Amino acid sequence: MREFRLGLRLLFGSGRGNRIRFFLMAVGGSLGVCCLALVLTIPQILDAHDGRAAARQPQTSSARPAGATLLLQRTDPYGSKAFTRVFIAKGVENTDTAPPGLKELPDPGEVFLSLGVHDLLRDQPAVKGLLPGHEKGLIGATGLAHPDELFAYIGTTRHEITDEGRALKSWGYSYAPFPAVEPSTLAYIRFALGSLVLLPLGIFLSVCARLSAASRNRRLASLRLLGLSTKGTQRVNAAETVVAALLGAVLGLGEYWVLNQVMARTGLPSLRWYPADGALSATTIGVCLIGCPLFAWFVGRASARDAAASPLAVRRTAAPKRPAKWGGLLLVTGLGIVIGYCVTGFTEHPANSLGRNALLMPAGILLTGLGLILTLPLISYALARRLARTTQSLTLNLAMRRNEVEPGSTMRVVTGLVLLVFSASLAQGVLIQLEQVTRPSAPVQDYSIPLSSLTARQQHEMASLPGVRAHAVTMDSWTEPDGSVDQPSASAVVATCDQLTKLVRHSEGCVDGKVMRLSDPNAGTGQGARPGDILPFRVPEGGRGRTLNIRLPHATVAYSAYDPSAVRSADVLIPPSALPATARPEEARYVLTSSSDHDEVRKVLDGIAAVAPTIEVEPVGVNIEGLQQIAVLETLLAVGMIMGLVIGTAAFVVSATDRAVERRPQVTAVTLIGARARTMRAVQCVQVVLPLSIGLALALVTGKVAESCYLITGGSEIYWDFAGTPVLALAAAGVAAVSALGTLPLVGRRIDPELIRRD
């Protein structure tokens, strides 16, 4: 405790310079704690989303008693969002069982909307077709997963949904039907955020805890020479870093509280939450208020080890020891693991992320990043020593001699930037993997609707919707349940040649009015269906059963379908004239096609909903829940990259500022000897840029290897991301240019001899 009080007295009684340094340590630490709190709170925000979604999930039964309340739920895509509508027909049972966010169930013709739908109706009046009835009120926050959710409860009559409606029992499940992020995917995001944020954050906090290391070590060496014990000297230094870290943690939590209030109201792309969702939990507060000062304690004790063990060497600025080699061992170990996984990419059975690979692969990448940082001082020392012995340039000699004496001082400035480039390469790999599960890039979008749910008038109206290019009917041939297993079967498209041309990428040989065989070399054919086989299709007409027998002809239409497509596996083309006008084929689907442009898709979906609000629409190839998850993941990854950029930049600014203050006595001494200011600026620039360039080159190579390791084990179709290399190379060049500019303030126009006074 005596050493702790001594450390505080030295902190507040050692002049303005020490107080400024303490302020920088606290402010820098607060920025890091704010980022740490945000990373720790993201799972809490996602859990809050899933909890409210689970609480409103209806528990239903297929048995429909006469007095039961019936419920029908539809979730359709609206652009890249899911629009969920719950149709409720009140009965005499469960009428008082309202879902979360509502006080009562809606009566027929009443609609309760989320705020997102309410605003959407104001901006897009066409959405009114989705909501038959008048607006009765808004859904409360407890009934919505997030503030921007598109959700509505619609009161209707029993005969409107009696065919598909289910009896309502109660509300609430223990799990969300569609979580905001799948648990398996969330593990990868945690790993990505750890690489993008937590690893740079650890470097940044250690930089903040070691500000003005040289002057502090000289002061600690003086205390050691005056009789303070070795452990006492380390405690004096740790006291200052702990107080700064504790103050920084408190400030950082306050910064996060303000950030949460602002971001909860403005939101992020595809990710919104209520302020209470992002409130600081006891765990987050404990980690920040205990973990950060504890980390600073160990860093403070470690940074004072030299001053406590060899005070005379510190006071007389003896030649430092060669940097330790164990950082290189970590780098070699990490590279060995990730290169091993990369080698499997050349085999027929590449490695996956299951089993022990789920731990070994992330460990290899983290060891590579950590080893890269710890190896940089050793590389800088070896390079500086060799160049200083061989160069004839005064500028290069001065720069390399300083790096040889203090390799760690320069590397503290560039470490954050090097790690930023390494993390950016890894982030590219995560983005590549996410892009492969997003919406297909086909130029058209198909919509598949059950034909039995549509009237002839609705079919005509949908075919005439703005944006709809073509329409058709798909159906499968009927097979005898007790018949032989090798009886032929096939799927058919009922369309004209012009409609078929608009539905597929390419078609050739079509003749209107004739039944023709379809041949797509990229798709399979029906089960044993050969030219001459009879294919029966059930086409009830006017309430009577009827079978339409189609002989598979020899005449062929060669076509190439889009991927995905509602007609991709069709085997036979049937002209509409071959079917009676009132025929309703069994298990048939009504297919519409439009452009895949997001605005066009939204326009067509709105039009379909206006014609038949409760109809089930399947946008072929689009998993709207998956799209929402991808959007959330991309947002989280973007947040991680922004935080990594902020932390890396902050580490550079803090380190460069500290180095400028620390180096002023040496720069002044050399300037007084006769060195020109231009020479000194060149020396300071070379001191930083040369080791930084080597570090950036290593970061590019190791980052690309780590990225390939991630892509291979994640099952990506792309293993080697050569397209992203120029982007990273330009980013590295920009980082080097910024660091060169950051060294210029080290040499001022005015010489102050007071700076070279002995302590």
Side-chain angles (χ1 to χ4, degrees):
M1 198 65 187
R2 180 170 62 91
E3 292 86 356
F4 186 79
R5 290 196 299 269
L6 177 59
L8 294 183
R9 290 183 63 184
L10 290 173
L11 170 62
F12 296 107
S14 300
R16 186 178 62 179
N18 283 336
R19 288 192 291 272
I20 293 175
R21 183 187 69 242
F22 176 80
F23 173 76
L24 284 176
M25 293 169 64
V27 172
S30 70
L31 179 62
V33 169
C34 180
C35 293
L36 176 62
L38 182 57
V39 172
L40 294 177
T41 310
I42 284 174
Q44 175 184 316
I45 293 173
L46 298 179
D47 288 342
H49 280 207
D50 295 343
R52 289 192 294 270
R56 71 171 183 218
Q57 187 67 13
Q59 295 187 20
T60 59
S61 171
S62 57
R64 298 191 293 268
T69 296
L70 300 184
L71 181 144
L72 173 64
Q73 183 166 314
R74 290 282 187 242
T75 300
D76 301 308
Y78 186 82
S80 60
K81 296 181 179 180
F83 193 162
T84 301
R85 296 166 296 153
V86 181
F87 296 86
I88 299 176
K90 291 175 64 174
V92 296
E93 298 179 4
N94 295 327
T95 56
D96 58 342
T97 307
L102 294 185
K103 295 182 179 179
E104 59 180 355
L105 294 176
D107 291 322
E110 295 180 346
V111 181
F112 288 93
L113 309 175
S114 67
L115 184 60
V117 177
H118 177 80
D119 295 339
L120 189 64
L121 275 174
R122 183 181 63 244
D123 300 332
Q124 302 287 341
V127 180
K128 180 63 178 176
L130 292 164
L131 307 165
H134 65 275
E135 181 178 341
K136 180 67 180 298
L138 296 178
I139 303 172
T142 56
L144 299 174
H146 55 86
D148 284 346
E149 188 175 22
L150 302 181
F151 204 93
Y153 291 100
I154 303 171
T156 185
T157 57
R158 296 178 64 86
H159 75 273
E160 290 285 344
I161 59 174
T162 187
D163 293 337
E164 301 178 73
R166 297 173 66 88
L168 173 66
K169 297 168 60 179
S170 62
W171 302 91
Y173 270 89
S174 59
Y175 58 90
F178 301 104
V181 177
E182 290 289 345
S184 58
T185 308
L186 185 59
Y188 286 103
I189 288 298
R190 284 173 175 165
F191 163 68
L193 290 178
S195 303
L196 291 171
V197 181
L198 297 184
L199 191 56
L201 181 60
I203 301 297
F204 176 55
L205 292 178
S206 66
V207 166
C208 292
R210 298 187 64 187
L211 291 180
S212 301
S215 60
R216 290 166 69 187
N217 282 345
R218 288 196 299 270
R219 188 180 62 192
L220 293 172
S222 299
L223 293 176
R224 180 73 179 93
L225 291 173
L226 289 174
L228 195 63
S229 66
T230 301
K231 291 185 178 179
T233 303
Q234 292 177 318
R235 294 192 189 106
V236 168
N237 187 55
E240 181 178 355
T241 58
V242 167
V243 172
L246 185 59
L247 178 60
V250 174
L251 291 176
L253 293 177
E255 292 169 4
Y256 171 77
W257 183 86
V258 175
L259 183 66
N260 178 51
Q261 298 297 320
V262 173
M263 293 180 65
R265 286 163 174 78
T266 59
L268 296 171
S270 305
L271 182 61
R272 284 287 307 276
W273 65 91
Y274 295 102
D277 298 345
L280 290 167
S281 65
T283 302
T284 302
I285 294 175
V287 169
C288 294
L289 292 183
I290 298 176
C292 291
L294 188 63
F295 178 76
W297 170 266
F298 286 108
V299 172
R301 285 178 60 89
S303 62
R305 186 179 296 118
D306 291 339
S310 306
L312 284 175
V314 172
R315 290 299 304 175
R316 295 176 178 177
T317 59
K321 298 178 182 178
R322 182 187 181 94
K325 297 181 180 180
W326 63 274
L329 179 62
L330 290 180
L331 178 61
V332 171
T333 303
L335 279 177
I337 295 174
V338 297
I339 289 175
Y341 282 114
C342 289
V343 170
T344 65
F346 295 100
T347 65
E348 296 181 356
H349 302 285
N352 54 38
S353 59
L354 303 177
R356 62 183 181 182
N357 293 340
L359 295 176
L360 193 57
M361 182 271 293
I365 293 178
L366 292 177
L367 284 176
T368 301
L370 186 60
L372 172 65
I373 299 306
L374 296 177
T375 308
L376 288 179
L378 178 62
I379 296 175
S380 177
Y381 173 83
L383 177 68
R385 190 172 185 180
R386 177 175 294 275
L387 289 179
R389 289 178 177 178
T390 58
T391 184
Q392 300 298 319
S393 169
L394 174 63
T395 299
L396 190 57
N397 191 283
L398 285 175
M400 293 300 100
R401 286 301 182 187
R402 174 51 57 184
N403 281 355
E404 182 183 359
V405 173
E406 293 181 351
S409 174
T410 302
M411 297 319 300
R412 278 199 299 273
V413 178
V414 303
T415 293
L417 301 177
V418 171
L419 196 58
L420 180 62
V421 173
F422 176 82
S423 301
S425 182
L426 187 60
Q428 276 190 342
V430 179
L431 286 173
I432 289 173
Q433 197 171 39
L434 290 178
E435 287 176 358
Q436 293 181 8
V437 291
T438 56
R439 188 181 183 280
S441 58
V444 300
Q445 175 62 57
D446 290 350
Y447 313 85
S448 180
I449 306 169
L451 184 63
S452 59
S453 302
L454 297 175
T455 64
R457 179 173 173 272
Q458 288 174 327
Q459 287 180 239
H460 177 73
E461 290 179 356
M462 289 184 181
S464 304
L465 288 174
V468 173
R469 295 180 175 181
H471 63 278
V473 173
T474 61
M475 58 183 182
D476 294 328
S477 63
W478 182 75
T479 56
E480 188 70 41
D482 299 328
S484 61
V485 295
D486 59 347
Q487 55 184 317
S489 64
S491 60
V493 178
V494 181
T496 65
C497 290
D498 181 62
Q499 291 170 343
L500 178 67
T501 302
K502 296 176 180 178
L503 285 168
V504 300
R505 190 187 305 273
H506 170 75
S507 66
E508 183 179 350
C510 184
V511 178
D512 273 320
K514 292 182 59 178
V515 176
M516 304 190 73
R517 190 163 61 94
L518 292 173
S519 175
D520 183 356
N522 298 319
T525 59
Q527 179 181 331
R530 296 185 299 272
D533 288 342
I534 301 297
L535 300 173
F537 293 90
R538 290 290 186 92
V539 284
E541 181 185 5
R544 295 174 300 167
R546 179 181 173 184
T547 300
L548 176 66
N549 294 316
I550 298 292
R551 183 181 297 275
L552 192 62
H554 289 273
T556 302
V557 176
Y559 80 106
S560 175
Y562 294 105
D563 185 18
S565 172
V567 298
R568 181 171 175 78
S569 300
D571 304 296
V572 59
L573 175 66
I574 300 176
S577 57
L579 271 69
T582 58
R584 315 292 295 173
E586 290 184 353
E587 303 298 328
R589 309 283 296 185
Y590 191 59
V591 176
L592 305 173
T593 187
S594 73
S595 166
S596 61
D597 179 74
H598 285 289
D599 293 336
E600 198 74 18
V601 171
R602 187 177 67 179
K603 185 190 299 183
V604 172
L605 288 172
D606 290 344
I608 294 174
V611 174
T614 62
I615 204 69
E616 180 182 358
V617 183
E618 178 193 352
V620 178
V622 176
N623 181 348
I624 190 60
E625 288 80 14
L627 279 180
Q628 284 189 301
Q629 290 197 19
I630 293 301
V632 172
L633 293 176
E634 289 178 340
T635 298
L636 293 178
L637 188 60
V639 169
M641 294 177 67
I642 292 173
M643 284 193 291
L645 177 62
V646 170
I647 293 171
T649 304
F652 170 73
V653 171
V654 171
S655 300
T657 303
D658 178 61
R659 184 170 179 270
V661 176
E662 283 281 282
R663 293 283 294 122
R664 281 193 303 170
Q666 289 83 4
V667 171
T668 301
V670 178
T671 304
L672 286 174
I673 293 174
R676 293 182 300 176
R678 182 187 303 175
T679 301
M680 292 307 300
R681 288 193 182 95
V683 168
Q684 302 304 319
C685 184
V686 171
Q687 281 182 1
V688 173
V689 172
L690 189 58
L692 174 61
S693 300
I694 296 174
L696 292 176
L698 282 174
L700 284 173
V701 174
T702 57
K704 279 298 172 184
V705 174
E707 178 190 5
S708 297
C709 171
Y710 178 85
L711 291 174
I712 291 171
T713 55
S716 172
E717 296 178 2
I718 298 175
Y719 288 172
W720 323 108
D721 176 30
F722 299 110
T725 303
V727 177
L728 286 178
L730 289 175
V735 165
V738 170
S739 64
L741 293 175
T743 62
L744 298 181
L746 287 173
V747 181
R749 296 176 178 272
R750 178 173 159 270
I751 298 176
D752 185 6
E754 185 69 16
L755 292 172
I756 60 175
R757 225 173 26 126
R758 282 189 173 273
D759 293 344

